[in-house]
Every structure is written in structure tokens, then in C-alpha cells.
Amino acid sequence: DFHAFLREEGIPYVFCSNTGAKGASGVQQKLKANGITSDGELVGGEHIFTAAQAQCQYMVDNLPRGAKVFVFAGGNAETADSSFWMEILRELDSELVASWDVHTHLSEGVAKEWGELAACSDSDHAVAVVLFSDGSISSVPDPITGELGFADWSFDVIKKAGYLLSHGAAFICTAEDSFNVRPDGWPLPGPGMISAMFRTLMYPEHSRNIHVCGKGGNRGNAYMMDAAIAKLERQGHSGQRDKIVMVGDRFCLLYTSDAADEEDSVGL
């Protein structure tokens, strides 16, 4: 009813989701499954923005040509949408993305090679561990080799990510939600649990290499909130912050600067 009211009154709106396992198309299908459409059609992409999309923009803006990128992804590995993140990246800058060495699976030897490269590189983003997930991961095919990626958070996958992160690789993730809300009241582990584990591994020497692009993240102001407000502006909104209402499901922290310290956060 509220969605219908917004459309009838011509009020600009954006579904601003912290999901890391869906782009706009995935949210469109989820909304449709719950009866939320625009006169029977899918809600337009101009009204949807996810943390995964924000993260893709951050990657394109900050990963250099030739970067080594180790990706853990959620979603349904059996569908064409399983590598939705790669499609978003290619749409943003296909030439740059084509220069990256992107894998969803690493052997022991390659993981150590990438760790050594991270340790000796002049760039904080020459090697990156990237998380497109809402907590769980699935065996998404490797975009280069076609080999199935890791299907679950095993000791082996954590160990190989640790090789990279402990040697200075960037950790780029969508959100740090500690759990995912369920209608039955039983919470599911969220991406924040994995992020906290990797933070422990990186602290304190490489803590500046953590980049969280969704709502509440240290890169979230520019890559999530400003981008969502820009969508409102393209729909005719003034962009004035005191003229925007946010509706959410939990208390969170929003960083007031790009610093990764909780001291720089404010509750919303």
C-alpha cells in the first residue's frame, strides 16, 4: 500500500538494500514474488540500489589494471544470475575488468603467490579479497577457468583468504550486518560475522585495508548513501537530506567519515 501511495503521488523513492548477493535485477524478482510491482510490471531499476552495486563501483574506482581479485559470492550457483556481480562490473568498465585476474577458487600455490604479491606491492589494491554475500557462499563458477568456487565457509577457504589478507591485500565487502532478519525470529549468520573474523586477522597492521561499501560501512557514505540520493535527484528530488525519510529494520552505525574507526560513527 505504501509503495502504491508513493507511485500515485509521484514521490521519488529508492529501495536501498544492504544485500551483497543481489543486484537490481535480483531485488526486482524478490519484490515481484512479494507482490510489489509497478502496475503489474517489475519495479524499475531506477528505484533500486544494492550494496553489491555500490561495491562494484568502489572496485572500478579503486582497483588498478592487472589487479588480482579473489571473490567469494552468494546467490544461486545454478542460475545465470550466479555471477551477477561480474555483469555489473563489466557494465561499469569492461576494459578495466578484463585486465583483472578474477577467481572464485584458488589453489594453495596460487594463494601463496598472491599473498607474496600483496606483501611487496606498492598499491593497497593490487590484490583484493572481495565478498559478495549475505552470509553464505555458493559454488559460483570461476569467471576465468570455469572451475566451481568454494561452496561453504570451510577451513581451507578461510586459510587461503588469510594468506592474502595477512600480507596486505585489500578486503572489500558489501556490509557488516551481524545477522539476517527472518520472519520466524531465528536469525541467520550475516556477512558481519565473516568480516569480523577477517578484521581480527588483519588487525592492526592492515586494518586500513578494510573497505565496507554498504549502509553503515566506512565507504558507505559515498558509495551507498550518496549514490542512492543521486537516484532520488534523477527522479526530481532536491537532494536535501532533511527532506528524505529512511525506513529500515534495525539500528545501525553510519560512519561520518572514511575513517574505519568506530569512534567516527554515529547511530541512526
Side-chain angles (χ1 to χ4, degrees):
D1 291 342
F2 181 60
H3 179 237
F5 163 76
L6 295 176
R7 290 187 293 110
E8 290 168 3
E9 297 296 323
I11 299 173
Y13 68 92
V14 175
F15 288 101
C16 194
S17 171
N18 242 20
T19 180
K22 297 182 187 70
S25 61
V27 173
Q28 285 175 319
Q29 296 300 328
K30 182 175 181 178
L31 291 173
K32 181 181 179 182
N34 285 277
I36 301 176
T37 62
S38 181
D39 298 324
E41 302 294 328
L42 293 174
V43 175
E46 70 274 15
H47 296 292
I48 299 171
F49 194 64
T50 74
Q53 292 172 272
Q55 179 176 308
C56 285
Q57 186 64 61
Y58 178 84
M59 291 171 66
V60 166
D61 287 350
N62 291 277
L63 294 185
R65 294 185 62 82
K68 309 289 187 182
V69 188
F70 187 19
V71 176
F72 302 116
N76 188 347
E78 303 304 319
T79 69
D81 198 38
S82 61
S83 295
F84 73 93
W85 45 274
M86 180 58 83
E87 295 304 314
I88 296 173
L89 288 168
R90 286 171 174 159
E91 288 174 6
L92 290 172
D93 193 330
S94 60
E95 184 178 356
L96 173 65
V97 173
S99 76
W100 296 346
D101 194 1
V102 182
H103 288 281
T104 60
H105 188 282
L106 290 183
S107 67
E108 182 86 3
V110 172
K112 289 179 177 178
E113 288 177 10
W114 284 22
E116 292 172 352
L117 176 62
C120 66
S121 173
D122 293 333
S123 170
D124 293 338
H125 290 79
V127 180
V129 173
V130 177
L131 178 60
F132 284 108
S133 168
D134 288 341
S136 62
I137 57 175
S138 54
S139 52
V140 175
D142 189 301
I144 294 179
T145 67
E147 183 178 11
L148 290 179
F150 293 99
D152 207 350
W153 290 112
S154 64
F155 178 80
D156 185 51
V157 68
I158 294 169
K159 175 188 68 174
K160 289 172 180 175
Y163 289 163
L164 278 56
L165 295 173
S166 64
H167 284 68
F171 177 50
I172 304 172
C173 64
T174 41
E176 293 191 296
D177 299 47
S178 58
F179 64 93
N180 294 317
V181 179
R182 283 167 49 110
D184 62 8
W186 295 99
L188 290 175
M193 294 185 177
I194 304 301
S195 174
M197 175 178 61
F198 286 151
R199 278 180 178 273
T200 302
L201 177 69
M202 300 171 72
Y203 181 83
E205 183 178 3
H206 301 300
S207 58
R208 63 181 174 81
N209 291 343
I210 300 169
H211 311 281
V212 186
C213 301
K215 291 179 286 185
N218 62 337
R219 305 292 179 236
N221 280 356
Y223 285 92
M224 189 71 176
M225 303 312 300
D226 287 354
I229 292 171
K231 279 183 169 285
L232 293 178
E233 292 176 334
R234 287 194 288 273
Q235 297 173 44
H237 194 275
S238 66
Q240 290 179 256
R241 272 41 172 186
D242 61 351
K243 302 296 183 183
I244 298 173
V245 174
M246 291 183 65
V247 180
D249 56 17
R250 77 184 81 184
F251 178 90
C252 70
L253 291 175
L254 292 181
Y255 289 89
T256 56
S257 74
D258 277 343
D261 300 322
E262 291 188 0
E263 295 176 354
D264 294 318
S265 305
V266 60
L268 179 66

